[in-house]
């Protein structure tokens, strides 16, 4: 399995560490409702098919990536920068690789 | 009489180089180019092993990776390797092999009694016999069953050989160097692509050697060598003896090259095997096909063999597998094999075919050679137990499938069987392509590709040679196009074929012959699964192929159903009244053939298993007699053991020195993270349970981080070096995890925070000076700087110089004594350390290690990873006061969940042994006399300060139990120690010693 890191180009999976479901959003710090936090920490869909996951390029640029991966075929259809650098994939050095 | 060496022939054989070897201690002889199997057959050896479950006598049944019977223990001593296929083992001088799964000898095997008890060992035997009888029954029977079932024994000695791992990148990987693979590799090379051609055999060519043809007027060996030269000249890489065993996501394939397995032992510095991780833009699967056995009574007798194997042994190794041979086939390949063998000088008695007629040209050719042809007939049974003695030929009605009258009962010592061909779809199936059933082939072929591959030749169901060559060429062009090259610039043409025999390739749909005489009909030879087992699985409801496989063990393990898969599916389909495609097939799993652990590990063994991290003081520690221990990847001193001292003496001496005078410890391994940015304070405020936003510059603070679920994650200190800059320390073990944690929040969760984090763990060496004399020593060592109480109060930070190097000092204490952590540049570490030691000599300074550090922290009830074990909260360890109520932080809301505030929850306590006996870590706490566990012990030590054996533990309602007497039980050693529950802070509970 290889992930095309927008920063580093296509790299082997051994350089990455899985960071869990990329679709969940942490409740704002001001939210003190336990249920909202329980949902964030524990409640997950288990989709058969396309899924957005977080991967950390821990042996590379150390950026966090949002990887769209099919849980059935393992096909990766999209990789983008998560959070802080969202939308900047095209400007990343690995964009053309 | 059985097998023997033919007077001439053998494309792989070098008759000028005889090789001596031994099988079960018996001296034998073969030639260079032989496999162990061909050499055994040539020596007249029939019986080579005992079967897995029933210990039935077995002989060679194949000539390649499909071999399910002739599994041997190869070599001896540390190089002994079990379950080695004799058909894939190249003969070398001095080879030692032994038969498996027999006692006391192969010929007289006591365990063959299993065969008589076989009703007990039918499918699902384990489940039925042991389910509900309880553990005791299983434990009693297990050792007998484990002795009776199974195959070879692995050695317990360390592997003396080296293994390598490498990566390769290519445009086109061609798997299999048979006719299709060679043509594909030629075409792709000619298109200017980087090609890797891998084949698991020593010699390329696949079944070209058995086709009895000439190509462009050349004998197969010459044509193959020409093709290989052409591919190499075009820049292609050829990997012989290389089994591509796994097809992984993203067109990454795993392969094992048997670099030196064909030698007695590897040459100096030569690896025994090399693991290849191959990254290919496109893959051509030219993996060929494996002939199917037919299922009939006694079809496992030694001497019953695949027809293709009988032919391969004659063409490649010049071996007649028997003196009197019968062929039993449901396709024209049987007659062709008989004709070819007869022409090579093998005595063929008869061809038995269930069909009413075969290709007339073949029938005539058989007649011309005096070979009897029995059509409309089958082999219904075999005679002979340790060697085939004869067969029963019966009439057969191809419409009803019923057996007819006895035809004849000839004697013979070899029976060659063909039930058609099964394409080797394993790699395509591993790559997520569900195999589809081909009714003409009566087998599965690869389904639609999900990865970038093209199947060609027999693997794709093309069985005739001309078709395989053409399909290979086409696949090579397809691969070239997929890589953006057009292949017509230097075209490759197909070779002209001559000398082919007539006849169709497709089989008549016969898989099994009705049982006669009660003899077993085997489907999976390697796992002793019979046709009756398949029926039984159906009757008991294990009907899906996945259930069938697990219930009967069919197609499992090293064999992966190479010869059994299709027959089993056909039998299950008939039992269920379905078609084979309705039953379907299991998804094949890697590996195609067994992979040694050594090849996967490569050079990452022993010292190279993991990198070793050393602090700049490492050599000093070792020179001073430190016993070193690992802490994650780091090496740390456990204790500095003096002459005549035990480890216990040493750590007691060291801990006492810290309490009474002064000690120094290397803390360079602590994780250090530089946290910078305008929002650095706010960021740490959100991660730590305590407040950090208002920490003044020049002060440090102890902090604990929680996970999002409210469980403790890590602890350490944060030093505010400037308004926008903190130095954060973590535990040694969690340095990487805390950095990743911070990066996650900064990049994903709170991208608005203007903060950057950098690991500076090995930027700074660290040492802690601790003890009543610590200030005196430190001040004496400082060339520049002031650590007086006024300049450096508790938790204060000052800068200075030691040995000319800039240092940063924080007054922090883990031991409970007056203590300072001194950080300097990594390369200056040794000079600073030695200066501190020198300055401390008048005060009797003593270096201390991890054992003393542990003793000191247990005396103070300070927590480490043993207490932060992923199950405990701040309140559990008595640090509830560190949970800020003024601000939210990671995990804050979750700590209020009911289980976390349950008053029964185990909390941190101290324990004191009542009778001087040491407490064992991991003990459980019970009421005196026993009972349910009330908690467990996390850390233990002899406390020199208290003169007692003490421990830290988690105990239910622990804070209400101080003073209570309990037992610390360790049932594995049958130990019970009476303990008194105490406050976890045993020593100096008001902290007066560090506030001086
Ligand atoms: Zn990257």
């Amino acid at each position: 399995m290889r992930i095309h890191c927008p920063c580093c180009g296509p790299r082997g999976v051994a350089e990455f560490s899985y960071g869990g479901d990329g679709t969940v959003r942490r409740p704002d710090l001001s939210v003190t409702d336990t249920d909202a936090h329980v949902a964030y920490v524990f409640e997950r869909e288990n989709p058969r098919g396309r899924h957005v996951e977080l991967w950390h390029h821990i042996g590379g640029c150390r950026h966090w990536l949002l990887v769209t991966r099919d849980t059935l075929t393992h096909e990766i259809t999209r990789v983008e920068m998560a959070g802080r650098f969202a939308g900047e994939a095209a400007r990343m050095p690995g964009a053309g690789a | 009489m059985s097998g023997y060496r033919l007077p001439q022939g053998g494309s792989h054989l070098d008759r000028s180089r005889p090789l001596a070897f031994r099988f079960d201690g018996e001296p034998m002889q073969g030639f260079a180019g032989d496999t162990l199997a061909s050499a055994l057959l040539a020596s007249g050896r029939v019986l080579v092993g005992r079967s897995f479950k029933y210990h039935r006598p077995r002989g060679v049944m194949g000539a390649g990776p499909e071999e399910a019977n002739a599994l041997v223990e190869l070599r001896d001593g540390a190089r002994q390797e079990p379950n080695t296929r004799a058909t894939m083992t190249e003969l070398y001088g001095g080879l030692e092999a032994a038969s498996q799964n027999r006692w006391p000898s192969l010929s007289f095997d006591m365990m063959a009694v299993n065969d008589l008890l076989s009703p007990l060992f039918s499918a699902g035997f384990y489940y039925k016999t042991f389910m509900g009888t309880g553990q005791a029954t299983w434990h009693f029977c297990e050792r007998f069953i484990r002795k009776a079932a199974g195959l070879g024994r692995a050695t317990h000695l360390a592997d003396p050989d080296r293994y390598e791992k490498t990566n390769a990148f290519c445009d086109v990987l061609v798997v299999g160097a048979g006719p299709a693979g060679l043509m594909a590799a030629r075409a792709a090379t000619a298109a200017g692509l980087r090609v890797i051609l891998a084949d698991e055999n020593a010699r390329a060519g696949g079944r070209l050697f058995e086709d009895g043809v000439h190509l462009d007027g050349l004998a197969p060996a010459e044509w193959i060598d020409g093709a290989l030269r052409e591919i190499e000249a075009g820049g292609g890489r050829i990997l012989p003896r290389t089994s591509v065993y796994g097809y992984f996501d993203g067109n990454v394939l795993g392969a094992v090259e048997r670099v030196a397995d064909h030698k007695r032992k590897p040459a100096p510095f030569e690896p025994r095997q090399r693991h290849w991780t191959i990254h290919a833009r496109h893959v051509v699967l030219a993996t060929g096909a494996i002939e199917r056995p037919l299922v009939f009574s006694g079809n496992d007798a030694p001497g019953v063999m695949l027809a293709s194997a009988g032919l391969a042994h004659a063409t490649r190794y010049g071996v007649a597998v028997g003196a009197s041979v019968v062929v039993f086939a449901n396709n024209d390949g049987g007659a062709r094999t008989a004709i070819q063998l007869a022409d090579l000088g093998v005595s063929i008695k008869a061809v038995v075919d269930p069909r009413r007629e075969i290709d007339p040209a073949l029938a005539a050719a058989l007649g011309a050679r005096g070979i009897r042809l029995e059509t409309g007939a089958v082999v219904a049974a075999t005679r002979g137990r340790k060697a085939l003695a004869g067969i029963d030929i019966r009439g057969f009605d191809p419409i009803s499938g019923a057996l007819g009258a006895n035809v004849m009962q000839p004697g013979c010592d070899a029976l060659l069987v063909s039930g058609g061909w099964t394409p080797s779809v394993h790699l395509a199936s591993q790559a997520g392509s569900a195999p589809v059933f081909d009714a003409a082939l009566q087998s599965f072929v690869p389904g639609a590709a999900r990865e970038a591959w093209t199947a060609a030749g027999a693997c794709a169901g093309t069985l005739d040679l001309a078709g395989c060559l053409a399909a290979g060429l086409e696949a090579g062009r397809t691969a070239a196009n997929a890589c953006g090259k057009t292949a017509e610039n230097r075209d490759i043409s197909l070779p002209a074929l001559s000398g082919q025999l007539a006849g169709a390739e497709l089989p008549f749909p016969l898989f099994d012959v009705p049982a006669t005489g009660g003899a077993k009909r085997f489907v999976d030879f390697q796992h002793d699964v019979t046709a009756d087992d398949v029926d039984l699985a159906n009757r008991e409801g294990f009907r899906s192929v996945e259930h069938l496989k697990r219930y009967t063990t069919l197609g499992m393990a090293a064999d992966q159903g190479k010869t059994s898969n299709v027959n089993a599916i056909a039998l299950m389909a008939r039992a269920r009244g379905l078609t084979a495609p309705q039953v379907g097939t299991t998804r094949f799993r890697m590996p195609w053939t067994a992979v040694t652990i050594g090849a996967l590990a490569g050079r990452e063994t022993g010292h190279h298993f993991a990198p070793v991290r050393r602090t700049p003081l490492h050599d000093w520690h070792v020179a001073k007699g430190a016993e070193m221990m690992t802490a994650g990847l780091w090496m740390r001193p456990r204790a500095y053991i003096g002459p005549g001292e035990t480890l216990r003496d040493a750590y007691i001496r060291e801990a006492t020195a810290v309490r009474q005078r002064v000690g120094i410890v290397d803390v360079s391994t602590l994780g250090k993270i530089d946290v910078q940015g305008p929002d650095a304070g706010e960021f740490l405020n959100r991660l730590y349970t305590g407040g950090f936003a208002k920490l003044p510059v020049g002060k440090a603070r102890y902090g604990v981080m929680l996970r999002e679920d409210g469980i403790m994650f890590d602890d350490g200190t944060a030093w505010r070096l400037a308004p926008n800059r903190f130095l954060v320390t973590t535990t040694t073990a969690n340095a990487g995890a805390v950095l990743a944690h911070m990066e996650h929040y900064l990049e994903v969760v709170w991208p608005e925070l203007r903060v950057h984090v950098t690991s500076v763990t090995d930027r700074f060496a660290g040492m802690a000076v601790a003890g009543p004399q610590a200030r005196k020593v430190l001040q004496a060592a400082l060339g520049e700087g002031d650590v007086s109480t006024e300049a450096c109060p508790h938790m204060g930070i000052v800068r200075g110089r030691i040995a000319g190097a800039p240092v940063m000092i924080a007054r922090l204490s883990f031991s409970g004594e007056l203590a300072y952590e001194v950080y300097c540049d990594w390369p200056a570490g040794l000079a600073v350390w030695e200066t501190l030691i020198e300055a401390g000599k008048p005060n009797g300074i003593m270096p201390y290690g991890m054992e003393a550090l542990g003793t000191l922290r247990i005396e103070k009830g300070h927590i480490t990873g043993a207490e932060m074990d992923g199950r405990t909260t701040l309140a559990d360890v008595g640090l509830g006061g560190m949970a800020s109520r003024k601000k939210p932080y990671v995990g804050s809301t979750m700590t209020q969940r009911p289980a976390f505030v349950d008053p029964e929850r185990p909390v941190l306590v101290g324990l004191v042994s009542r009778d001087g006996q040491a407490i064992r870590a991991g003990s459980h706490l019970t009421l005196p006399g026993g009972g349910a566990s009330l908690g467990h012990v996390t850390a233990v030590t002899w406390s020199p300060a208290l003169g007692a054996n003490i421990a830290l533990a988690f105990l239910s309602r622990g804070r209400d139990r101080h003073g209570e007497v309990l037992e610390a039980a360790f049932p594995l050693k049958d130990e019970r120690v009476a303990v008194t529950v105490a406050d976890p802070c045993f020593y100096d509970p008001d902290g007066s010693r560090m506030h001086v």
Side-chain angles (χ1 to χ4, degrees), chain B residues 31 80 125 175 352 504 508 554 601 672 716 776 835 986:
Chain B
F31 293 108
Q80 179 183 310
F125 155 71
V175 186
V352 181
F508 171 77
L554 187 145
K672 302 165 206 94
K776 210 177 286 177
T835 306
F986 296 93

mmCIF file of all heavy atoms in Angstrom, chain B residues 31 80 125 175 352 504 508 554 601 672 716 776 835 986:
data_model
loop_
_atom_site.group_PDB
_atom_site.id
_atom_site.type_symbol
_atom_site.label_atom_id
_atom_site.label_comp_id
_atom_site.label_asym_id
_atom_site.label_seq_id
_atom_site.Cartn_x
_atom_site.Cartn_y
_atom_site.Cartn_z
ATOM 1 N N PHE B 31 22.250 -36.799 -9.764
ATOM 2 C CA PHE B 31 23.119 -35.998 -10.621
ATOM 3 C C PHE B 31 22.817 -34.517 -10.427
ATOM 4 O O PHE B 31 21.718 -34.141 -9.994
ATOM 5 C CB PHE B 31 22.902 -36.349 -12.099
ATOM 6 C CG PHE B 31 23.339 -37.729 -12.464
ATOM 7 C CD1 PHE B 31 22.396 -38.723 -12.745
ATOM 8 C CD2 PHE B 31 24.691 -38.057 -12.524
ATOM 9 C CE1 PHE B 31 22.796 -40.003 -13.089
ATOM 10 C CE2 PHE B 31 25.093 -39.340 -12.870
ATOM 11 C CZ PHE B 31 24.142 -40.313 -13.148
ATOM 12 N N GLN B 80 18.154 -27.352 10.066
ATOM 13 C CA GLN B 80 17.053 -28.272 9.784
ATOM 14 C C GLN B 80 15.791 -27.497 9.429
ATOM 15 O O GLN B 80 15.409 -26.561 10.120
ATOM 16 C CB GLN B 80 16.783 -29.142 11.007
ATOM 17 C CG GLN B 80 15.629 -30.103 10.787
ATOM 18 C CD GLN B 80 15.341 -30.893 12.039
ATOM 19 O OE1 GLN B 80 16.243 -31.463 12.639
ATOM 20 N NE2 GLN B 80 14.093 -30.902 12.450
ATOM 21 N N PHE B 125 -13.310 -33.212 13.994
ATOM 22 C CA PHE B 125 -12.965 -34.092 15.109
ATOM 23 C C PHE B 125 -12.692 -33.312 16.395
ATOM 24 O O PHE B 125 -13.231 -33.596 17.458
ATOM 25 C CB PHE B 125 -11.754 -34.937 14.698
ATOM 26 C CG PHE B 125 -10.925 -35.442 15.830
ATOM 27 C CD1 PHE B 125 -11.396 -36.440 16.657
ATOM 28 C CD2 PHE B 125 -9.663 -34.915 16.066
ATOM 29 C CE1 PHE B 125 -10.623 -36.915 17.706
ATOM 30 C CE2 PHE B 125 -8.885 -35.387 17.112
ATOM 31 C CZ PHE B 125 -9.369 -36.389 17.933
ATOM 32 N N VAL B 175 5.438 -12.516 -13.636
ATOM 33 C CA VAL B 175 5.524 -13.603 -12.669
ATOM 34 C C VAL B 175 5.368 -14.915 -13.417
ATOM 35 O O VAL B 175 4.299 -15.219 -13.942
ATOM 36 C CB VAL B 175 4.442 -13.477 -11.583
ATOM 37 C CG1 VAL B 175 4.650 -14.552 -10.517
ATOM 38 C CG2 VAL B 175 4.447 -12.099 -10.965
ATOM 39 N N VAL B 352 -6.300 -45.245 -19.445
ATOM 40 C CA VAL B 352 -7.691 -45.423 -19.032
ATOM 41 C C VAL B 352 -8.377 -44.071 -19.114
ATOM 42 O O VAL B 352 -7.878 -43.080 -18.559
ATOM 43 C CB VAL B 352 -7.780 -45.972 -17.588
ATOM 44 C CG1 VAL B 352 -9.225 -46.177 -17.179
ATOM 45 C CG2 VAL B 352 -6.966 -47.246 -17.453
ATOM 46 N N ALA B 504 -7.355 -32.262 -27.989
ATOM 47 C CA ALA B 504 -7.879 -31.078 -27.311
ATOM 48 C C ALA B 504 -7.343 -31.035 -25.882
ATOM 49 O O ALA B 504 -6.811 -32.006 -25.362
ATOM 50 C CB ALA B 504 -9.398 -31.109 -27.323
ATOM 51 N N PHE B 508 -13.100 -33.839 -19.691
ATOM 52 C CA PHE B 508 -14.453 -34.328 -19.460
ATOM 53 C C PHE B 508 -14.757 -34.088 -17.966
ATOM 54 O O PHE B 508 -13.890 -34.288 -17.124
ATOM 55 C CB PHE B 508 -14.499 -35.823 -19.791
ATOM 56 C CG PHE B 508 -15.769 -36.487 -19.406
ATOM 57 C CD1 PHE B 508 -16.921 -36.318 -20.178
ATOM 58 C CD2 PHE B 508 -15.835 -37.279 -18.268
ATOM 59 C CE1 PHE B 508 -18.102 -36.936 -19.814
ATOM 60 C CE2 PHE B 508 -17.030 -37.895 -17.902
ATOM 61 C CZ PHE B 508 -18.163 -37.718 -18.685
ATOM 62 N N LEU B 554 -9.358 -28.199 4.663
ATOM 63 C CA LEU B 554 -9.023 -28.355 3.248
ATOM 64 C C LEU B 554 -8.442 -27.053 2.676
ATOM 65 O O LEU B 554 -8.986 -25.975 2.901
ATOM 66 C CB LEU B 554 -10.320 -28.713 2.525
ATOM 67 C CG LEU B 554 -10.260 -29.086 1.062
ATOM 68 C CD1 LEU B 554 -11.310 -30.154 0.809
ATOM 69 C CD2 LEU B 554 -10.514 -27.910 0.168
ATOM 70 N N ALA B 601 12.334 -11.209 8.214
ATOM 71 C CA ALA B 601 13.097 -10.427 9.188
ATOM 72 C C ALA B 601 14.319 -9.786 8.539
ATOM 73 O O ALA B 601 14.723 -8.689 8.918
ATOM 74 C CB ALA B 601 13.533 -11.321 10.349
ATOM 75 N N LYS B 672 11.888 15.689 24.784
ATOM 76 C CA LYS B 672 11.899 17.150 24.914
ATOM 77 C C LYS B 672 11.290 17.741 23.654
ATOM 78 O O LYS B 672 11.668 17.363 22.535
ATOM 79 C CB LYS B 672 13.335 17.663 25.094
ATOM 80 C CG LYS B 672 14.043 17.055 26.307
ATOM 81 C CD LYS B 672 15.539 17.270 26.277
ATOM 82 C CE LYS B 672 16.263 16.194 27.067
ATOM 83 N NZ LYS B 672 16.698 15.069 26.236
ATOM 84 N N GLY B 716 4.972 15.208 32.716
ATOM 85 C CA GLY B 716 6.277 15.829 32.501
ATOM 86 C C GLY B 716 6.233 17.258 32.997
ATOM 87 O O GLY B 716 5.337 17.631 33.765
ATOM 88 N N LYS B 776 24.934 22.900 46.755
ATOM 89 C CA LYS B 776 26.352 23.153 46.986
ATOM 90 C C LYS B 776 27.183 22.654 45.808
ATOM 91 O O LYS B 776 28.054 23.336 45.278
ATOM 92 C CB LYS B 776 26.770 22.434 48.282
ATOM 93 C CG LYS B 776 27.883 23.124 49.027
ATOM 94 C CD LYS B 776 28.198 22.397 50.334
ATOM 95 C CE LYS B 776 27.125 22.633 51.411
ATOM 96 N NZ LYS B 776 27.412 21.875 52.649
ATOM 97 N N THR B 835 32.299 17.514 35.083
ATOM 98 C CA THR B 835 32.537 18.672 35.943
ATOM 99 C C THR B 835 31.670 18.609 37.202
ATOM 100 O O THR B 835 32.121 18.915 38.311
ATOM 101 C CB THR B 835 32.271 19.974 35.158
ATOM 102 O OG1 THR B 835 33.053 19.956 33.970
ATOM 103 C CG2 THR B 835 32.596 21.206 35.985
ATOM 104 N N PHE B 986 5.349 7.572 51.157
ATOM 105 C CA PHE B 986 5.887 6.980 52.373
ATOM 106 C C PHE B 986 6.827 7.936 53.088
ATOM 107 O O PHE B 986 7.000 7.870 54.286
ATOM 108 C CB PHE B 986 6.694 5.718 52.037
ATOM 109 C CG PHE B 986 5.907 4.598 51.439
ATOM 110 C CD1 PHE B 986 5.793 4.459 50.071
ATOM 111 C CD2 PHE B 986 5.275 3.663 52.258
ATOM 112 C CE1 PHE B 986 5.089 3.412 49.528
ATOM 113 C CE2 PHE B 986 4.565 2.611 51.714
ATOM 114 C CZ PHE B 986 4.470 2.483 50.336
#
